[in-house]
Amino acid sequence: VVFFVPVAIAVAWLLSLNPANGLFPFGRSWLASPASARSTLLFIDALYLFGLASGLGLMVYLPLWRRSADTPQPTFREVSKPMLATWALGILGVIVLTLSTFSLNFVLTNGGPARSTSTLGILLYQFAFLRFQMGPAAAIASLILLVTLVLGSLAGLLVIRTRLRLD
């Protein structure tokens, strides 16, 4: 299910963006030209980021809403530090996930018209499995790993510095 869900979401977007019978029937395909394809995929990514940020915000605020009557109301200062740290961790996580974005761009545009929606994940796939050039593919994978390690270390330092903990 984990491997199928991103492809199912991408197919749902592909069907909804179909100019003939989709949710946005404006007579033109938003994925056909290089300018509109890139902005359309960025809009879809922004919607994902908004959903993630909303979910993280609920994770922070739910314990405040569900507190017992004898628990004192926390101050804004007590709440803002873990809230901002959780938000920053979510943003770092989204950045790491989008470095190797593959399924959405591959299903919708296959790297897009005039390579306008090509990502590191699609480039890695093309080098490794279409051209069988493992050297450049390994270099791209190492680049993704390096950036992921740096952002993961930043996330770890953020957790340590803000002293986040689960109660």
Side-chain angles (χ1 to χ4, degrees), residues 55-125:
L56 288 173
L58 282 177
M59 285 175 28
V60 170
Y61 282 115
L62 276 179
L64 297 176
W65 290 334
R66 301 183 85 192
R67 63 184 173 81
S68 61
D70 58 339
T71 305
Q73 173 95 17
T75 64
F76 179 75
R77 187 177 191 134
E78 294 172 338
V79 175
S80 62
K81 185 176 175 181
M83 180 183 66
L84 290 174
T86 306
W87 176 76
L89 287 173
I91 298 299
L92 287 173
V94 168
I95 291 170
V96 167
L97 287 175
T98 56
L99 280 176
S100 59
T101 298
F102 176 76
S103 58
L104 185 70
N105 293 11
F106 185 75
V107 171
L108 291 179
T109 62
N110 194 15
R115 299 177 55 102
S116 64
T117 60
S118 187
T119 62
L120 286 176
I122 290 177
L123 191 61
L124 175 65
Y125 170 77

Side-chain angles (χ1 to χ4, degrees), residues 138-151:
I140 294 169
S142 299
L143 178 67
I144 292 172
L145 176 66
L146 179 67
V147 174
T148 302
L149 286 173
V150 169
L151 292 176

